[in-house]
Amino acid sequence: MSLLKEPDLGTPAKAGPATVSLEVDGLPVTVPEGTSVMRAAALSGVEIPKLCATDNLEPFGSCRLCLVEIDGRKGTPASCTTPVAEGMKVHTQTSRLEKLRQGVMELYISDHPLDCLTCAANGDCELQDMSGAVGLRQVRYGYEGENHLDQPKDTSNPYFDFDPSKCIACSRCVRACGEVQGTFALTIEGRGFESKVSAGAGELFMDSECVSCGACVQACPTATLEERTVVDLGMPSRSVLTTCAYCGVGCSFKAELRGDELVRMVPYKDGGANEGHSCVKGRFAFGYATHPDRVLSPMVRESIDDEWREVDWDTAIGYVAEKMREVQARHGVGAIGGITSSRCTDEEVYVVQKMVRAAFGNNNVDTCARVCHSPTGYGLKQTFGTSAGTQDFRSVAKADVIVVIGANPTDAHPVFASRMKRRLREGAQLIVIDPRRIDLVRSPHVEAAHHLRLAPGTNVAVVNAFAHVIVTEGLADRSFVDERCEEYDEWAAFIAGPENSPEATEEISGVPAAQLRAAARLYASAGNAAIYYGLGVTEHSQGSTMVIGMANLAMATGNIGRDGVGVNPLRGQNNVQGSCDMGSFPHELPGYRHIADDAVRSVFEDVWGRELLAEPGLRIPNMFDAAIDGSFRALFVQGEDIAQSDPNTKHVTAALRAMDLVVVQDLFINETARFAHVFLPGTSFLEKDGTFINAERRINRVRPVMAPKTGKHEWEIVCEIAQAMGYPMEYSHPREIMAEIAALTPTFAGVSFEKLDELGSVQWPCNDNAPEGTPIMHVDGFVRGKGRFVPTPFVPTRERSTRRFPLILTTGRILSQYNVGAQTRRTGNVAWHPEDVLEIHPHDAEVRGIADGDRVTLSSRVGETSLHAVLSDRMPVGVVYTTFHHPVTGANVVTTENSDWATNCPEYKVTAVQVGLKTAGAAVDHAEQAVPVLAD
Amino acid sequence: MGAHEESPQTRMANEIAVQFRHQPADKAATAIAAHIRQFWDPRMRADLLHRAATAPASFDPLALAAARLLSPAGRESPATR
């Protein structure tokens, strides 16, 4: 594909049934009421010159280039700020307009360097284009007068430069930062000739509140804000449409290349999830794909104490197959298993679970979603009937009240957070339920109506108190409940119990009863109330119970089945939804159908040609336990660094050491690979061909930007292992894998690569009932028929603060880093987060003699590590926080075996710890055991 | 044996049991058994039954009742809910 240039219609589309008809240069056009003259002209095929207008920003009317004449009206109004009117006759090309535009352009150019031939934006500069469009032939003003040509560049950001000498003060960057991103880091400082774009109060970009989303770079019509890769490599010449491989938002991008070299990632306006926006990870942090740390050849070693030895693919695959069979011969069919990765495509995941079930002959397959959103699967299936968020992302624009529980969208799902903040600026109310004061609680133009600062581990007490208020104060939507749900009366009797009242739970959760009552009333009386949640819900001993509790709330208030409402998991990794959909759990076949269901199993047996076991297999924590007790001896790990990401590192590494064979398929020698016998190099998202499914069930194509650097696609490797183990598993292209998925999975029956290429994306269920997908679920009925209320008694976690471990540690992530950091640590993003730090309240720090920046020990009953402390009143007293992005720190050295009762999802969010000043030699430092990885 | 040193299966069964304490004992035991049947690998269930038989004191009574339902002589069917 050549370079894909999306049309820019100048101003945003207007919705609404009413239309207006007009003429532009004699061409008739009919547009929605409220449309600008500029957009109407563009839709009629007439391009009006413009500089300050672009169709993802509201019109501003500053550049004076888009002037038009309108019959019967005086003057030359700006077409971007003039709405259409019935019967209007617009003229865009007259000699008067020509002279005016040339005069405007002459002024712009008189204060702009004339270095087009050597400018990085040459060929992609709207100022250059508009000079041509208005027919500018001369500039009468010299450079002798005052100008801005000697303004110094700001090169502080690792990804883009700011060259104010090229700025035309159109404010597109400033408006993009506010309107699109919602950060408001940029401003126009000064007046008149002194006007200039400024990050913060005259700060460098890196010192300002800029979050490096790149919206300003994308909006800039000149080379003022320019990607450094464009400066270094030149303008790209071709595009490939693909999907980001970071978080569960699943942004669509144009990967723009020059030859075979990726120059930049540009968010795609037609991307259903992101609609042209992106974050610092998706837009800029792709350098890991070509990082020299990548391993490109398979490697084998007999013992983890041996050196790695490079081998060819046939040898590596043969070795894996032979060893797997040996282990099974000695220890039984169930002694081996596999883990799928949410960073891999649906097709790659599908073949791994198929390999385990059909070639290994057991159900010992699990996925990294075990340690993040497995409670979502359980909780939503119990209540609604299937494991999926109920809404599309667009739906948030219709919410009147937004409840964010245990999620930090501005850091972990930033592009969705921008949508959410836009709605909040429009007036929607916000309730945040989180121990930490996350940014959403108070940020520019956003302030939560309520921040329920609950104690870690008390989610269920709080959600029960919410429901108690709704039921006992008569706020339930009884007509919805009566028509759509079942088992309400039993649940209502339970929830109305005095133990669930806000007054009773206040002592447990620390949330004042009056505040909780007010928040519950707000939620119940909102009109449209939507819940968005993250791992602060699921990663608890009652994670599944809490998911059920939120579903109960939504059903009780009728907030299900239309725009603006729902219960929505914000998935951590890009393909958590897909990896779960693909049958990665040991008890479920693709489409969330239990392995014990004879009818379902027989469908798979017919197609796969193998009898399948009807019993569930081992989940990841069970695999570790079984490895230590000796009954589980070999593991295939696809793209998941369990030694860093899973809890209680000592336990995990003991399990890995106990196994006869550990096979790791990944990009880098990660922490898990230190315990591996075979390393199978994987492919980056730029090399993959397949699909990802985001948190709104949107199936997006992942298209190869370049050939696999390893010489093989990951799905091919898995198929070859299966074949080497005696099970035929052949596909010539991943579209054939998706065809098999569609044939076997009713919710995917209508999905094909061809349809995805035609429509861009679809949201499952996609089948005969919904040929173009399902943006919103449970519209007329729940997947399980009636929505089911399930009582959710609060059971405290067994993890308690003690005299020895008096603080509670909770973990999370930050904007610039992703999961275990294997990718983002190998990019310029380390500029923002070179190490994991411990956030601690100043009071807790002071009583321990800890100052900001001190190195401290962090210890729990299972382990100890050290890191630097950051004093922060974002934390409540008694609670500390860190991230798990760096193996050097190894935050999971201290997290425990506690897990969700229903799914074994680890309780990362509640660990009793002690923090103290680190003295030399005082502790075994996990940092000393790991090898740091620095950005290239 | 300390609270955190019990076998994984014993610990998990007890953790499941406590979630069902609000139900009548027979109903709770049935639900716990169904959950374990639905989500646990057979070797874990076998281990649970062995421990329930040899160290019943380490179990929550509801977990113990569920284990009895899961035993070959028990009544629990593989039906899933």
Side-chain angles (χ1 to χ4, degrees):
Chain A
M1 181 190 278
S2 57
L3 200 64
L4 176 61
K5 292 229 175 195
E6 297 164 273
D8 184 344
L9 304 182
T11 64
K14 297 293 175 188
T19 58
V20 170
S21 295
L22 65 155
E23 278 185 18
V24 180
D25 292 343
L27 298 170
V29 62
T30 299
V31 295
E33 191 176 32
T35 301
S36 72
V37 168
M38 174 181 280
R39 188 178 179 91
L43 290 169
S44 73
V46 175
E47 283 193 35
I48 299 175
K50 59 183 172 56
L51 278 171
C52 73
T54 185
D55 61 11
N56 70 336
L57 299 173
E58 290 301 318
F60 194 55
S62 81
C63 75
R64 315 310 297 170
L65 208 60
C66 71
L67 310 177
V68 293
E69 291 185 81
I70 300 171
D71 286 357
R73 295 198 187 186
K74 289 181 183 173
T76 53
S79 62
C80 63
T81 53
T82 304
V84 295
E86 188 63 35
M88 182 182 265
K89 293 185 189 312
V90 179
H91 306 281
T92 72
Q93 298 293 335
T94 66
S95 58
R96 180 188 181 193
L97 294 171
E98 187 179 311
K99 283 199 176 82
L100 283 169
R101 288 175 186 154
Q102 285 177 355
V104 169
M105 280 305 299
E106 204 174 350
L107 289 169
Y108 276 125
I109 298 299
S110 71
D111 194 9
H112 194 85
L114 297 177
D115 61 350
C116 290
L117 291 180
T118 55
C119 178
N122 189 19
D124 187 34
C125 171
E126 292 180 42
L127 189 69
Q128 191 179 46
D129 293 345
M130 289 306 110
S131 296
V134 304
L136 185 70
R137 296 291 177 264
Q138 61 171 342
V139 177
R140 291 166 290 171
Y141 319 112
Y143 284 152
E144 293 79 20
E146 275 194 276
N147 58 50
H148 299 87
L149 301 180
D150 295 326
Q151 298 276 316
K153 269 189 189 179
D154 175 354
T155 58
S156 61
N157 188 287
Y159 295 119
F160 60 84
D161 294 338
F162 173 55
D163 181 356
S165 73
K166 296 184 174 175
C167 180
I168 59 171
C170 65
S171 289
R172 272 166 60 164
C173 57
V174 176
R175 290 180 286 140
C177 188
E179 291 178 31
V180 178
Q181 167 55 28
T183 294
F184 298 89
L186 304 184
T187 188
I188 296 286
E189 182 184 288
R191 306 280 293 177
F193 187 79
E194 301 299 325
S195 299
K196 62 177 184 180
V197 170
S198 174
E203 297 162 284
L204 294 174
F205 268 77
M206 277 300 276
D207 296 337
S208 74
E209 292 180 344
C210 167
V211 293
S212 292
C213 68
C216 57
V217 179
Q218 188 176 335
C220 182
T222 71
T224 308
L225 286 156
E226 189 73 272
E227 293 98 338
R228 203 165 291 160
T229 49
V230 173
V231 176
D232 292 343
L233 302 172
M235 271 296 154
S237 56
R238 67 186 179 95
S239 312
V240 177
L241 276 180
T242 191
T243 305
C244 179
Y246 282 119
C247 77
V249 176
C251 296
S252 296
F253 277 91
K254 294 181 290 184
E256 296 191 345
L257 298 103
R258 186 179 178 88
D260 285 331
E261 192 159 27
L262 181 60
V263 176
R264 65 182 175 189
M265 298 289 283
V266 180
Y268 186 46
K269 278 204 286 196
D270 277 351
N274 56 319
E275 295 179 340
H277 191 34
S278 72
C279 76
V280 61
K281 295 189 286 287
R283 190 191 294 264
F284 295 124
F286 53 81
Y288 71 88
T290 51
H291 194 281
D293 280 357
R294 260 191 78 177
V295 177
L296 301 177
S297 300
M299 300 191 298
V300 169
R301 57 184 176 181
E302 292 295 327
S303 153
I304 63 170
D305 298 319
D306 294 343
E307 293 294 316
W308 285 109
R309 134 178 96 83
E310 277 192 17
V311 295
D312 60 34
W313 277 112
D314 287 346
T315 302
I317 287 163
Y319 186 90
V320 172
E322 184 185 338
K323 289 286 180 187
M324 287 285 186
R325 283 294 186 228
E326 273 181 27
V327 170
Q328 287 189 305
R330 268 189 277 131
H331 302 284
V333 170
I336 67 175
I339 296 175
T340 72
S341 172
S342 297
R343 292 180 225 167
C344 289
T345 63
D346 296 315
E347 293 73 14
E348 290 167 338
V349 166
Y350 178 85
V351 295
V352 170
Q353 64 87 31
K354 181 176 175 180
M355 171 180 75
V356 172
R357 297 189 200 281
F360 291 7
N362 61 49
N363 290 311
N364 294 330
V365 62
D366 205 358
T367 179
C368 54
R370 173 67 52 205
V371 301
C372 67
H373 266 291
S374 52
T376 290
Y378 182 85
L380 295 185
K381 186 159 190 176
Q382 294 290 313
T383 48
F384 297 162
T386 195
S387 170
T390 60
Q391 310 299 117
D392 60 356
F393 289 143
R394 285 191 189 103
S395 163
V396 77
K398 300 284 175 59
D400 301 308
V401 167
I402 298 168
V403 187
V404 176
I405 311 178
N408 188 7
T410 55
D411 279 37
H413 305 88
V415 171
F416 174 69
S418 291
R419 280 183 189 265
M420 183 184 280
K421 287 194 288 186
R422 184 180 307 166
R423 180 61 183 156
L424 293 169
R425 291 196 302 274
E426 290 169 352
Q429 304 238 51
L430 174 66
I431 300 168
V432 174
I433 303 178
D434 201 297
R436 293 174 79 219
R437 193 181 67 240
I438 59 172
D439 284 349
L440 266 182
V441 172
R442 193 165 193 275
S443 60
H445 304 284
V446 169
E447 183 160 16
H450 299 284
H451 176 201
L452 308 188
R453 211 166 185 182
L454 75 178
T458 64
N459 282 338
V460 173
V462 169
V463 83
N464 283 351
F466 252 69
H468 178 93
V469 173
I470 288 161
V471 168
T472 58
E473 296 190 7
L475 301 174
D477 183 344
R478 287 308 305 255
S479 62
F480 180 90
V481 167
D482 292 345
E483 184 186 341
R484 301 279 307 270
C485 306
E486 63 188 14
E487 301 184 33
Y488 175 80
D489 290 340
E490 299 92 317
W491 172 78
F494 155 77
I495 210 74
E499 73 280 9
N500 293 320
S501 74
E503 290 71 23
T505 58
E506 177 175 339
E507 194 177 336
I508 298 164
S509 69
V511 177
Q515 188 186 22
L516 194 144
R517 282 190 181 276
R521 290 167 189 151
L522 180 62
Y523 172 80
S525 56
N528 285 339
I531 295 173
Y532 293 90
Y533 71 95
L535 306 185
V537 159
T538 55
E539 292 175 345
H540 284 277
S541 64
Q542 279 200 300
S544 292
T545 312
M546 180 61 182
V547 173
I548 292 170
M550 296 184 302
N552 288 339
L553 269 190
M555 289 189 292
T557 52
N559 279 308
I560 285 287
R562 62 179 187 278
D563 257 332
V565 299
V567 179
N568 302 285
L570 294 172
R571 308 281 188 169
Q573 303 201 70
N574 50 312
N575 202 30
V576 173
Q577 182 73 53
S579 70
C580 297
D581 298 341
M582 292 300 109
S584 290
F585 289 134
H587 66 286
E588 282 175 338
L589 287 159
Y592 303 103
R593 290 162 299 160
H594 202 278
I595 193 76
D597 185 322
D598 294 340
V600 170
R601 208 171 56 257
S602 72
V603 170
F604 282 83
E605 288 172 340
D606 287 348
V607 172
W608 290 357
R610 281 288 163 101
E611 192 174 334
L612 303 178
L613 283 182
E615 297 279 6
L618 294 169
R619 302 182 281 202
I620 292 173
N622 313 145
M623 291 177 189
F624 297 152
D625 293 336
I628 287 170
D629 79 18
S631 70
F632 188 75
R633 314 287 296 217
L635 179 64
F636 178 94
V637 188
Q638 177 192 41
E640 177 68 5
D641 193 359
I642 48 181
Q644 189 182 338
S645 65
D646 284 36
N648 195 353
T649 306
K650 200 184 293 179
H651 183 70
V652 175
T653 56
L656 290 170
R657 280 183 193 280
M659 288 191 225
D660 299 328
L661 178 68
V662 174
V663 182
V664 168
Q665 187 176 38
D666 212 309
L667 299 178
F668 305 104
I669 295 291
N670 56 21
E671 295 302 293
T672 308
R674 293 166 58 182
F675 304 93
H677 305 84
V678 180
F679 187 87
L680 304 174
T683 51
S684 77
F685 80 109
L686 296 171
E687 298 145 57
K688 292 184 187 297
D689 191 347
T691 55
F692 288 152
I693 304 176
N694 74 358
E696 50 170 2
R697 296 169 279 104
R698 187 181 299 279
I699 308 167
N700 270 315
R701 280 283 278 123
V702 185
R703 295 183 180 86
V705 172
M706 54 189 72
K709 291 183 177 298
T710 59
K712 269 191 196 294
H713 287 289
E714 291 191 28
W715 59 268
E716 291 177 303
I717 299 161
V718 173
C719 290
E720 288 176 22
I721 292 171
Q723 285 163 9
M725 292 180 72
Y727 176 69
M729 196 156 99
E730 285 186 63
Y731 306 94
S732 63
H733 190 275
R735 78 164 60 86
E736 295 176 3
I737 303 174
M738 178 53 82
E740 184 173 310
I741 295 164
L744 289 169
T745 314
T747 45
F748 282 72
V751 180
S752 66
F753 277 26
E754 291 72 21
K755 180 176 280 187
L756 294 171
D757 289 341
E758 181 191 339
L759 299 180
S761 62
V762 295
Q763 289 167 270
W764 69 258
C766 176
N767 47 32
D768 286 346
N769 294 330
E772 297 197 354
T774 309
I776 295 176
M777 295 194 79
H778 316 301
V779 172
D780 298 316
F782 287 92
V783 168
R784 67 181 300 281
K786 294 261 188 181
R788 176 175 170 237
F789 283 94
V790 179
T792 53
F794 171 64
V795 177
T797 171
R798 54 199 275 160
E799 186 76 4
R800 309 282 168 81
S801 56
T802 62
R803 184 173 293 182
R804 190 172 169 210
F805 300 110
L807 302 172
I808 294 295
L809 170 73
T810 183
T811 63
R813 61 187 74 188
I814 62 158
L815 172 65
S816 63
Q817 296 292 325
Y818 177 70
N819 203 266
V820 293
Q823 293 136 287
T824 45
R825 279 185 282 111
R826 292 176 170 93
T827 70
N829 281 27
V830 288
W832 289 278
H833 189 73
E835 60 179 328
D836 292 324
V837 296
L838 187 78
E839 286 188 36
I840 183 169
H841 190 277
H843 172 77
D844 290 328
E846 185 180 359
V847 298
R848 289 167 175 78
I850 295 167
D852 195 62
D854 279 348
R855 192 152 188 94
V856 297
T857 57
L858 174 68
S859 54
S860 74
R861 61 183 163 81
V862 302
E864 179 167 304
T865 187
S866 74
L867 65 178
H868 289 104
V870 171
L871 273 54
S872 168
D873 65 2
R874 290 159 63 97
M875 304 306 304
V877 172
V879 182
V880 294
Y881 171 87
T882 191
T883 48
F884 62 102
H885 302 306
H886 287 266
V888 174
T889 312
N892 285 315
V893 168
V894 299
T895 52
T896 72
E897 77 289 348
N898 287 343
S899 66
D900 172 47
W901 67 271
T903 67
N904 278 157
C905 180
E907 190 174 43
Y908 290 110
K909 303 302 185 188
V910 188
T911 306
V913 295
Q914 179 58 296
V915 177
L917 264 178
K918 179 172 166 53
T919 53
V924 177
D925 192 346
H926 185 73
E928 290 156 14
Q929 300 170 14
V931 180
V933 176
L934 301 176
D936 185 22
Chain B
M1 185 175 276
H4 295 291
E5 294 161 1
E6 61 201 339
S7 84
Q9 276 67 249
T10 306
R11 172 174 57 81
M12 288 190 288
N14 287 338
E15 286 172 357
I16 295 167
V18 76
Q19 304 294 329
F20 289 89
R21 268 193 197 150
H22 63 290
Q23 296 187 6
D26 57 341
K27 193 175 170 191
T30 303
I32 296 162
H35 183 91
I36 289 171
R37 182 91 187 159
Q38 191 176 357
F39 294 106
W40 285 26
D41 173 272
R43 85 193 70 175
M44 295 166 63
R45 295 205 305 269
D47 180 79
L48 176 73
L49 297 189
H50 170 71
R51 290 176 188 279
T54 56
S58 59
F59 282 88
D60 183 292
L62 289 176
L64 205 56
R68 289 196 190 103
L69 291 176
L70 286 165
S71 69
R75 294 165 293 162
E76 169 60 20
S77 76
T80 58
R81 60 173 184 164

